[in-house]
Amino acid sequence: MRVQDLNWEGVEAFLRRDDRALLPLGCTEQHARLSLATDSLLAERVSVEAALPLGIPVFPVLPYGITPTFTAYPGTLSLRVTTYLALLDDLPSGLYAQGFRRILIVNGHGGNSPGQGWLGEWLAGHPGARVQWHNWWNAPRTWAAVQATDPLARHASWMENFPWTRLEEVSGPAERKPLVDLARLCQLPPAGVRALLGDGNFGGLPQRSDAEMERLWQEAVRETRELLESGWAS
């Protein structure tokens, strides 16, 4: 139940019977030959598919995140950490003020991790709230499904290559890329990161079969839905 398909009266009616909501977090950054909006597309889609049979509202994805490492790639936009944490404080606080008490934050971008540390501070100031931070792609069962399919899976590789993150008429190399030296990567400025990474894939095949990706996706949807159903602390 996407909020964009509701008006205010629909949300008010929902709040009379339930207090759950989903807030997806994404990013706009390079993903090799995939969409710059890959993290946002995946976080919002897994949220919508998980929430659909439960009738829980999904708010629009926050399409910008913390990604200074990739700013040498045109199209990548990064927020400062202070800006991002201010946004995170405003959004759940607004939901809380309206009566939402159980909020599932579905994060699609690893660089947004400072928000996970911020969450404890926010919860301390909002009695009665229950908020879960869910990195959907490396949640236990989803990550196990990734590893069972192909253990060489990193940023912008096959594990993010779904039919809805691909771009028409954009092709790239089909070979398996060796894993980049992550320790070295973390020490470099954006221009150095681009020089080391090339296309942007950290390592692995650029694409696997749609059947394999569908199995992985369905596990991610199930795992997210179970958090909505039974993941709340009493």
Side-chain angles (χ1 to χ4, degrees), residues 58-171:
V58 179
F59 281 78
V61 65
L62 180 61
Y64 301 106
I66 303 168
T67 181
T69 301
F70 293 149
T71 51
Y73 290 88
T76 295
L77 293 176
S78 181
L79 297 177
R80 289 173 293 174
V81 173
T82 52
T83 302
Y84 193 73
L85 294 183
L87 276 169
L88 285 186
D89 192 65
D90 286 347
L91 296 175
S93 294
L95 292 173
Y96 183 88
Q98 293 182 4
F100 290 99
R101 290 294 180 269
R102 291 178 291 171
I103 304 166
L104 180 61
I105 295 176
V106 180
N107 179 43
H109 172 58
N112 294 339
S113 59
Q116 197 164 2
W118 152 89
L119 183 56
E121 180 180 336
W122 187 90
L123 285 168
H126 294 81
R130 299 291 182 269
V131 181
Q132 302 180 69
W133 182 282
H134 177 49
N135 294 324
W136 76 266
W137 76 96
N138 69 359
R141 295 207 320 262
T142 300
W143 186 246
V146 169
Q147 293 295 289
T149 303
D150 182 348
L152 184 48
R154 293 296 188 274
H155 172 83
S157 73
W158 68 268
M159 68 173 288
E160 298 187 285
N161 190 329
F162 293 89
W164 48 89
T165 60
R166 295 174 201 148
L167 301 175
E168 292 184 12
E169 300 179 1
V170 175
S171 60

Side-chain angles (χ1 to χ4, degrees), residues 8-50:
W8 68 267
E9 293 171 309
V11 176
E12 186 173 68
F14 173 82
L15 281 166
R16 295 192 190 105
R17 64 181 186 274
D18 206 328
D19 63 358
R20 292 173 290 177
L22 291 92
L23 178 62
L25 305 178
C27 192
T28 301
E29 66 171 11
Q30 72 82 11
H31 274 80
R33 267 73 182 189
L34 303 175
S35 169
L36 284 154
T38 289
D39 289 341
S40 299
L41 292 168
L42 294 174
E44 187 166 56
R45 188 177 182 115
V46 76
S47 298
V48 169
E49 292 190 21

Side-chain angles (χ1 to χ4, degrees), residues 140-220:
R141 295 207 320 262
T142 300
W143 186 246
V146 169
Q147 293 295 289
T149 303
D150 182 348
L152 184 48
R154 293 296 188 274
H155 172 83
S157 73
W158 68 268
M159 68 173 288
E160 298 187 285
N161 190 329
F162 293 89
W164 48 89
T165 60
R166 295 174 201 148
L167 301 175
E168 292 184 12
E169 300 179 1
V170 175
S171 60
E175 65 269 13
R176 186 181 182 91
K177 184 177 180 180
L179 180 63
V180 69
D181 183 342
L182 296 176
R184 181 183 173 199
L185 187 77
C186 292
Q187 301 177 51
L188 295 173
V193 168
R194 179 171 173 174
L196 178 64
L197 278 181
D199 68 350
N201 177 1
F202 276 24
L205 285 169
Q207 185 171 340
R208 296 192 69 90
S209 73
D210 285 352
E212 289 174 306
M213 300 309 294
E214 179 63 19
R215 287 194 294 271
L216 171 61
W217 185 252
Q218 290 307 316
E219 187 62 63

